[in-house]
């Protein structure tokens, strides 16, 4: 029990650090963090696996990381195992598949950009390269009331309960949340879930033809039935998580160097623990 709780604590700490774009290069360059994440992908607890996939997804958003991540021993094989494992929840498989596609395309992007510059410009507007996957789509929400870590926690809980939500990223400074969902899930389901908190309301941010943005409110009388997700366990409660504020993910544990050293120690612990 203690070892499993340690694993949950470590993977959630690493996920929070990876959510900050300023940390992503340092995490991948660290000798212990990436191997530790790969070990997490084979963990028997599905909550640990899903949180590890979110961390890997964050790291893969940095183009400079992709070649190294792809070449890291066990990375691609572990992603394939998650995709093929019969006990993996559907959202977990889809997230692993999209990460696999991103890393698989590493090294080919420069040539593709030279041949298709216009298509490349369009890709930059997407959340990440997997956005072209027809099985999933990206929805951008502007959330009134998303003011502090407590509200963010409420928002996380609401989104995690929706079957069909793959992943999400918060942009606290502009009160936005970028959500990856299955293609058959209506965006209104997200609005209904956020509005059910009673302290936040959501609007969908859409692109206009001239490249601008338009905020489209969800109709109050168009609430849709939200199918709850029972496959993926909830994240650790915020009070148990090593970091409560995304903007202070690094300062909460000291400097980035201190954080990486701590994660390396944790990775060594996992290496000893996972060889059962």
């Amino acid at each position: 029990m203690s070892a499993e709780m340690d694993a949950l604590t470590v993977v959630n700490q690493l996920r929070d650090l990876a959510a900050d774009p300023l940390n992503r290069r340092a995490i991948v360059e660290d000798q212990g963090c990436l191997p530790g994440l790969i070990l997490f992908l084979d963990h028997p607890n599905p909550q640990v696996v899903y949180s590890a996939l979110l961390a890997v997804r964050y790291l893969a958003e940095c183009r400079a990381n992709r070649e190294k991540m792809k070449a890291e021993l066990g990375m691609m094989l572990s992603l394939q195992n998650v995709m093929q494992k019969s006990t993996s929840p559907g959202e977990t498989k889809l997230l692993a598949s999209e990460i696999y596609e991103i890393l698989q395309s590493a090294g080919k992007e420069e040539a593709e950009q030279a041949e298709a510059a216009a298509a490349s410009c369009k890709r930059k507007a997407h959340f990440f390269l997997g956005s072209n996957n027809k099985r999933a789509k990206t929805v951008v929400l502007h959330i009134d009331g998303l003011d502090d870590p407590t509200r963010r926690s409420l928002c996380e809980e609401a989104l995690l309960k929706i079957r069909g939500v793959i992943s999400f990223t918060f942009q606290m400074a502009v009160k936005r949340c970028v959500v990856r969902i299955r293609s058959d899930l209506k965006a209104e389901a997200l609005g209904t879930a956020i509005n059910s908190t009673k302290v936040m309301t959501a609007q969908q941010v859409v692109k206009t033809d001239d490249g601008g943005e338009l905020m489209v409110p969800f109709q109050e009388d168009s609430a849709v039935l939200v199918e709850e997700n029972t496959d993926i366990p909830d994240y650790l409660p915020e009070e148990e998580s090593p970091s409560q504020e995304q903007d202070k993910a690094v300062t909460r544990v000291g400097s980035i160097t201190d954080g990486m050293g701590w994660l390396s120690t944790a990775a060594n612990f996992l290496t000893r623990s996972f060889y059962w």
Side-chain angles (χ1 to χ4, degrees):
M1 182 65 179
S2 176
E4 184 164 294
M5 287 304 297
D6 285 341
L8 284 170
T9 300
V10 171
V11 74
N12 279 283
Q13 174 71 25
L14 186 50
R15 180 201 68 204
D16 290 342
L17 284 170
D20 187 339
L22 297 178
N23 296 338
R24 292 170 186 166
R25 290 294 301 274
I27 291 174
V28 171
E29 293 299 327
D30 184 86
Q31 294 183 352
C33 294
L34 203 55
L37 266 179
I38 294 172
L39 291 177
F40 280 134
L41 296 179
D42 294 323
H43 198 279
N45 185 340
Q47 179 180 351
V48 173
V49 174
Y50 189 72
S51 194
L53 284 171
L54 286 174
V56 173
R57 191 283 314 271
Y58 285 134
L59 297 177
E61 287 181 18
C62 176
R63 292 180 182 272
N65 284 344
R66 294 174 186 171
E67 284 281 6
K68 182 174 176 60
M69 292 175 67
K70 178 182 178 181
E72 188 70 30
L73 182 64
M75 173 64 80
M76 303 302 282
L77 180 60
S78 292
L79 289 171
Q80 284 181 319
N81 289 340
V82 173
M83 293 156 52
Q84 297 170 1
K85 190 178 297 183
S86 60
T87 56
S88 294
E91 284 72 24
T92 299
K93 288 183 177 180
L94 188 54
L95 181 55
S97 175
E98 291 184 337
I99 296 170
Y100 185 90
E101 291 175 9
I102 292 173
L103 299 184
Q104 190 69 19
S105 66
K108 302 176 183 177
E109 295 171 3
E110 292 78 5
E112 292 175 354
Q113 288 174 353
E115 296 175 1
S120 177
C121 290
K122 290 182 180 180
R123 281 201 298 271
K124 291 179 182 178
H126 291 306
F127 188 38
F128 51 91
L129 290 181
S131 299
N132 290 327
N133 192 324
K134 294 181 180 180
R135 295 175 296 172
K137 59 186 178 183
T138 300
V139 176
V140 180
L141 301 176
H142 178 83
I143 304 175
D144 291 318
L146 185 63
D147 301 320
D148 54 46
T150 301
R151 297 284 178 89
R152 173 187 165 182
S153 179
L154 284 174
C155 190
E156 285 181 351
E157 292 174 5
L159 292 175
L160 284 169
K161 289 179 181 178
I162 305 175
R163 179 178 293 277
V165 169
I166 302 167
S167 62
F168 46 82
T169 300
F170 288 97
Q171 299 171 351
M172 297 294 289
V174 291
K175 299 183 180 182
R176 288 190 179 184
C177 183
V178 183
V179 190
R180 292 281 293 153
I181 61 177
R182 297 183 69 94
S183 57
D184 57 353
L185 179 64
K186 294 183 178 180
E188 286 79 2
L190 305 178
T192 298
I194 299 300
N195 294 343
S196 70
T197 65
K198 305 299 183 183
V199 294
M200 291 178 286
T201 57
Q203 301 179 76
Q204 185 174 359
V205 181
V206 298
K207 291 287 186 181
T208 60
D209 293 338
D210 59 1
E213 291 183 347
L214 179 66
M215 292 190 187
V216 180
F218 296 106
Q219 298 297 326
E220 294 183 3
D221 58 350
S222 65
V224 298
L225 180 63
V226 178
E227 184 180 359
E228 290 199 1
N229 185 7
T230 57
D231 291 335
I232 301 176
D234 292 335
Y235 286 139
L236 284 175
E238 285 292 332
E239 62 268 17
E240 296 180 16
S241 176
S243 175
Q244 294 186 358
E245 301 182 35
Q246 177 177 331
D247 295 338
K248 298 182 180 179
V250 177
T251 58
R252 296 280 293 189
V253 295
S255 68
I256 184 64
T257 303
D258 294 337
M260 294 307 103
W262 178 84
L263 289 164
S264 296
T265 301
N268 290 334
F269 161 77
L270 291 168
T271 301
R272 295 193 302 271
S273 301
F274 282 5
Y275 287 101
W276 50 73

